[in-house]
């Protein structure tokens, strides 16, 4: 039993490392490329891309119909049944291919042949829709094979950066920039296809193929996907339609990107844990689920709280340095967006650790629909008066409502008090850091080196305070790295 436990722990650590590498690259690439594209394509160029990408996203969602979340969950629960894996994989692939084909026809006829506005850009982004049919990432997440996903994603991101810096030189290269993004995003899907046969070859099917038998269950996961997209993607569509300004969309896109980049790292532990928790739930191992949830909560809050405070305090200094001239409107947008880091961190944790693995998806759907309705109603009013800032306020309110509902209805599993117990030391340390940085901000002049100094002081102070407060998660992490270092030192 102890050996199994150690093997499970080792597996989680390996998956975390692989996923962390991929997520770090996913975080670093936008950090590297955003300042360059912000200057080359300018706010209106970035706004056009943002609007077109929001349109194609609706068709991507329709062709997915919740397959990714549903598929990962089913695969993780049945990964020891090879015959069922093959059956399920073929059925889902056929279903997805049919839906993608239908969406492709509607998309190209509507936006390329009929409307004829930004035709080339719409045609390029249609390739994103084609790639959906060959995306098997959900399968490898279900069997907890994160190594291949990580390698494929890292390779594609590196290629994307190289191609953009080499080929995209002027604003007229906007379509080329979009083409490079779309193609490199699809590359990992092609890379993973050959490895599918490892899980399916020499396995005989026991039943007749029926791809539509999964349609109803997929729709359960489709509803939250639609709701989530309404208050993430629809914001950009409504900004474009109501303001008729590519600039407003460009400001919104970049400010949202700055606030949501850290969320990629904060939520990566949740994505890894989702498959393992589904497996534990299938085996009724609830104590293990509770333990993993506390660990994930510590990790999420440890990062979310200081990043949120730090982004608010440094935005005025950071945005002009990072994005360049013409993006001053992004500063107040970053102020508004920053709380999303903490809000989404909490809701994502409850969604992946409780609502999805515990088959509470229908309850979750109701909350997401409520949030989506609030977002659309507020958008219709606030965008008209406050433009991009109105959309940002709407997003914050919608996400906060959803998170509060998640917390209230998950109180038998993980309460608000549990989050306080896990994160109060992070809140104390983050608040002290926030005050310190406010004082520094007042006295330090503008400039990149003063920004780096400010960030360094903030990080150092935060973790020193946690060490003084004897935070369990931080001390365990330090102890783990120290033991690793001693082992390496002995070997050498």
């Amino acid at each position: 039993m102890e050996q199994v436990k150690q093997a499970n722990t080792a597996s989680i650590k390996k998956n975390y490392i692989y996923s962390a590498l991929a997520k770090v690259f996913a975080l670093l690439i936008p950090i590297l490329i955003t300042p360059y594209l912000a200057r080359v394509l300018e706010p209106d160029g970035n706004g056009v891309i943002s609007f077109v990408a929001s349109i194609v996203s609706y068709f991507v969602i329709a062709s997915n119909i919740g397959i990714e979340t549903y598929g990962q969950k089913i695969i993780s629960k049945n990964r020891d049944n090879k015959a069922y894996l093959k059956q399920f994989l073929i059925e889902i692939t056929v279903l997805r291919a049919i839906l993608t084909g239908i969406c492709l026809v509607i998309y190209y006829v509507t936006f390329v042949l009929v409307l004829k506005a930004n035709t080339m850009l719409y045609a390029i982004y249609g390739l994103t829709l084609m790639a959906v049919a060959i995306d098997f990432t959900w399968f490898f997440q279900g069997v907890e094979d994160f190594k291949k996903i990580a390698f494929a994603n890292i390779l594609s991101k590196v290629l994307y950066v190289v191609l953009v810096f080499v080929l995209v030189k002027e604003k007229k290269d906007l379509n080329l920039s979009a083409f490079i993004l779309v193609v490199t995003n699809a590359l990992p899907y092609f890379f993973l296809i050959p490895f599918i046969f490892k899980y399916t070859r020499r396995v005989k099917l026991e039943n007749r193929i029926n791809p539509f038998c999964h349609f109803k269950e997929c729709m359960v996961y489709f509803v939250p996907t639609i709701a989530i997209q309404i208050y993430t993607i629809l914001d950009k569509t409504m900004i474009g339609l109501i303001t008729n300004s590519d600039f407003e969309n460009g400001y919104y896109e970049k400010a949202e990107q700055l606030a949501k980049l850290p969320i990629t790292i904060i939520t990566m532990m949740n994505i890894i844990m989702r498959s393992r928790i589904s497996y534990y739930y299938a085996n009724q191992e609830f104590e293990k689920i509770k333990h993993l949830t506390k660990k994930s909560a510590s990790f999420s809050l440890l990062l979310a709280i200081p990043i949120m405070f730090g982004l608010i305090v440094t935005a005025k200094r950071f945005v002009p340095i990072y994005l360049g001239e013409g993006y001053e409107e992004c500063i107040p947008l970053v102020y508004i967006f920053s709380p999303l880091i903490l809000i989404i961190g909490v809701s994502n944790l409850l969604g992946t650790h409780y609502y999805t693995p515990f088959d509470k998806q229908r309850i979750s759907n109701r909350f997401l629909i409520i949030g989506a309705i609030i977002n659309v109603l507020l958008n219709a009013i606030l965008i008209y008066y406050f433009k991009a800032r109105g959309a940002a306020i709407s997003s914050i309110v919608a996400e906060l409502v959803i998170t509060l509902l998640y917390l209230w209805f998950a109180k038998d599993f993980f309460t608000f008090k549990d989050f306080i117990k896990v994160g109060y030391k992070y809140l104390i340390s983050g608040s002290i850091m926030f005050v310190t940085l406010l004082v520094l901000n007042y006295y330090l002049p503008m400039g990149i080196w003063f920004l780096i100094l400010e960030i360094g002081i903030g990080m150092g102070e935060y973790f020193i305070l946690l060490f003084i407060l004897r935070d369990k998660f931080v001390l365990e992490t330090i102890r783990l790295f120290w033991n690793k270092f001693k082992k390496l030192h002995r070997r050498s």
Side-chain angles (χ1 to χ4, degrees):
M1 188 69 182
E2 185 63 30
Q3 288 179 337
V4 172
K5 183 179 178 181
Q6 289 176 355
N8 287 337
T9 304
S11 175
I12 291 174
K13 286 179 180 178
K14 285 181 180 179
N15 287 330
Y16 175 79
I17 291 168
Y18 294 136
S19 188
L21 285 172
K23 295 296 182 184
V24 166
F25 266 84
L27 184 66
L28 288 176
I29 296 314
I31 289 173
L32 287 171
I33 216 75
T34 294
Y36 181 73
L37 290 179
R39 289 165 171 81
V40 173
L41 302 182
E42 300 176 7
D44 56 329
N46 284 291
V48 171
I49 289 179
S50 174
F51 183 76
V52 174
S54 74
I55 297 298
V56 79
S57 293
Y58 303 126
F59 292 88
V60 171
I61 296 163
S63 60
N64 268 323
I65 64 159
I67 284 172
E68 291 180 354
T69 306
Y70 170 71
Q72 182 184 348
K73 177 184 172 183
I74 297 300
I75 292 296
S76 64
K77 284 185 174 181
N78 298 277
R79 59 188 175 190
D80 297 326
N81 187 341
K82 299 294 183 183
Y84 183 81
L85 284 187
K86 185 171 184 178
Q87 177 93 16
F88 182 78
L89 178 63
I90 293 173
E91 289 174 343
I92 290 295
T93 302
V94 173
L95 176 62
R96 209 175 200 188
I98 293 169
L99 293 170
T100 302
I102 294 169
C103 291
L104 271 170
V105 172
I106 297 171
Y107 174 81
Y108 274 103
V109 168
T110 304
F111 293 97
V112 179
L113 298 180
V114 177
L115 294 182
K116 295 183 179 179
N118 289 314
T119 304
M120 181 57 70
L121 194 58
Y122 275 108
I124 290 168
Y125 264 92
L127 299 175
T128 302
L129 188 52
M130 294 182 188
V132 171
I134 56 168
D135 178 10
F136 295 102
T137 306
W138 55 273
F139 180 88
F140 289 93
Q141 287 174 340
V143 296
E144 297 190 56
D145 191 349
F146 287 86
K147 182 178 180 180
K148 294 180 180 64
I149 299 172
F151 179 79
N153 281 315
I154 289 170
L155 193 65
S156 69
K157 299 299 181 189
V158 171
L159 183 62
Y160 170 65
V161 170
V162 172
L163 291 175
V164 166
F165 281 129
V166 171
L167 300 177
V168 180
K169 298 294 183 182
E170 304 174 74
K171 192 174 182 179
K172 67 179 182 180
D173 295 327
L174 184 145
N175 289 340
L176 178 59
S177 172
F179 180 77
I180 293 169
L181 175 64
V182 168
V183 171
T184 52
N185 279 345
L187 280 180
Y189 306 156
F190 287 98
F191 174 83
L192 292 173
I193 289 174
F195 298 101
I196 287 285
F197 298 107
K198 170 188 171 183
Y199 297 93
T200 58
R201 64 186 176 191
R202 297 176 186 173
V203 178
K204 292 183 179 180
L205 295 177
E206 298 174 351
N207 301 300
R208 184 170 61 87
I209 297 298
N210 181 13
F212 292 100
C213 70
H214 302 285
F215 188 82
K216 185 178 179 181
E217 277 299 315
C218 284
M219 289 299 292
V220 174
Y221 297 88
F222 181 44
V223 172
T225 305
I226 294 174
I228 289 168
Q229 295 302 323
I230 282 176
Y231 57 80
T232 54
I233 303 301
L234 188 59
D235 286 355
K236 297 163 189 175
T237 308
M238 292 183 75
I239 289 170
L241 295 174
I242 294 173
T243 68
N244 198 28
S245 169
D246 293 329
F247 284 93
E248 288 296 320
N249 241 327
Y251 300 142
Y252 186 90
E253 170 76 15
K254 292 306 170 190
E256 184 188 43
Q257 195 176 47
L258 287 176
K260 288 190 174 180
L261 272 174
I263 296 173
T264 306
I265 294 293
I266 292 165
T267 59
M268 68 182 173
M269 176 74 84
N270 301 337
I271 295 169
I272 296 165
M273 291 300 185
R274 184 168 58 191
S275 295
R276 181 54 58 94
I277 288 173
S278 293
Y279 182 76
Y280 284 157
Y281 180 73
N283 292 285
Q284 303 291 294
E285 298 181 83
F286 296 112
E287 284 302 315
K288 290 183 178 179
I289 294 174
K290 192 78 172 180
H291 176 72
L292 289 180
T293 303
K294 286 182 179 178
K295 289 283 186 184
S296 295
S298 293
F299 179 82
S300 296
L301 298 178
L302 170 72
L303 297 181
I305 290 172
I307 293 174
M308 176 186 69
F309 284 141
L311 196 57
I312 293 170
V313 137
T314 60
K316 193 172 182 179
R317 191 188 303 270
F318 176 69
V319 169
I321 294 171
Y322 188 64
L323 296 177
E325 294 181 7
Y327 287 91
E328 290 77 15
E329 178 57 28
C330 288
I331 297 170
L333 286 170
V334 170
Y335 293 153
I336 298 169
F337 272 127
S338 293
L340 280 180
I341 297 169
L342 179 59
I343 294 168
I344 292 178
V346 172
S347 63
N348 183 271
L349 182 135
L350 290 173
T352 53
H353 287 62
Y354 177 65
Y355 286 96
T356 299
F358 280 64
D359 295 319
K360 304 285 186 181
Q361 198 65 46
R362 285 178 174 82
I363 298 173
S364 172
N365 291 351
R366 294 172 198 162
F367 303 154
L368 293 170
I369 291 169
I370 290 169
I373 292 170
I374 291 170
N375 186 257
V376 171
L377 293 174
L378 288 176
N379 271 343
I381 300 167
L382 297 179
I383 291 175
Y384 181 80
Y385 290 102
F386 304 109
K387 300 181 181 180
R389 296 188 192 186
I393 294 167
S394 300
S395 294
I396 286 288
V397 174
E399 289 281 6
L400 183 59
V401 168
I402 291 165
T403 301
L404 291 174
L405 288 170
Y406 266 32
L407 280 165
W408 179 256
F409 284 89
K411 60 180 180 291
D412 292 333
F413 170 72
F414 205 78
T415 66
F416 181 74
K417 189 180 287 186
D418 289 327
F419 275 104
I420 296 297
K421 284 180 180 177
V422 169
Y424 77 93
K425 291 179 181 178
Y426 308 133
L427 189 59
I428 292 169
S429 300
S431 299
I432 295 171
M433 179 200 78
F434 180 72
V435 173
T436 302
L437 293 182
L438 276 177
V439 174
L440 284 173
N441 230 17
Y442 183 79
Y443 289 104
L444 290 177
M446 299 292 284
I448 187 168
W449 294 112
F450 293 106
L451 174 64
I452 293 170
L453 176 65
E454 195 172 17
I455 294 170
I457 290 171
M459 289 175 59
E461 181 184 28
Y462 178 71
F463 284 104
I464 288 170
L465 286 168
L466 287 178
F467 185 78
I468 293 170
L469 292 172
R470 312 301 292 171
D471 178 67
K472 187 178 178 181
F473 186 81
V474 170
L475 292 177
E476 284 180 356
T477 304
I478 293 171
R479 197 176 295 114
L480 177 66
F481 279 104
W482 177 248
N483 290 335
K484 293 282 184 184
F485 174 78
K486 286 198 294 186
K487 284 182 181 178
L488 289 172
H489 184 68
R490 288 194 199 103
R491 288 174 186 172
S492 61

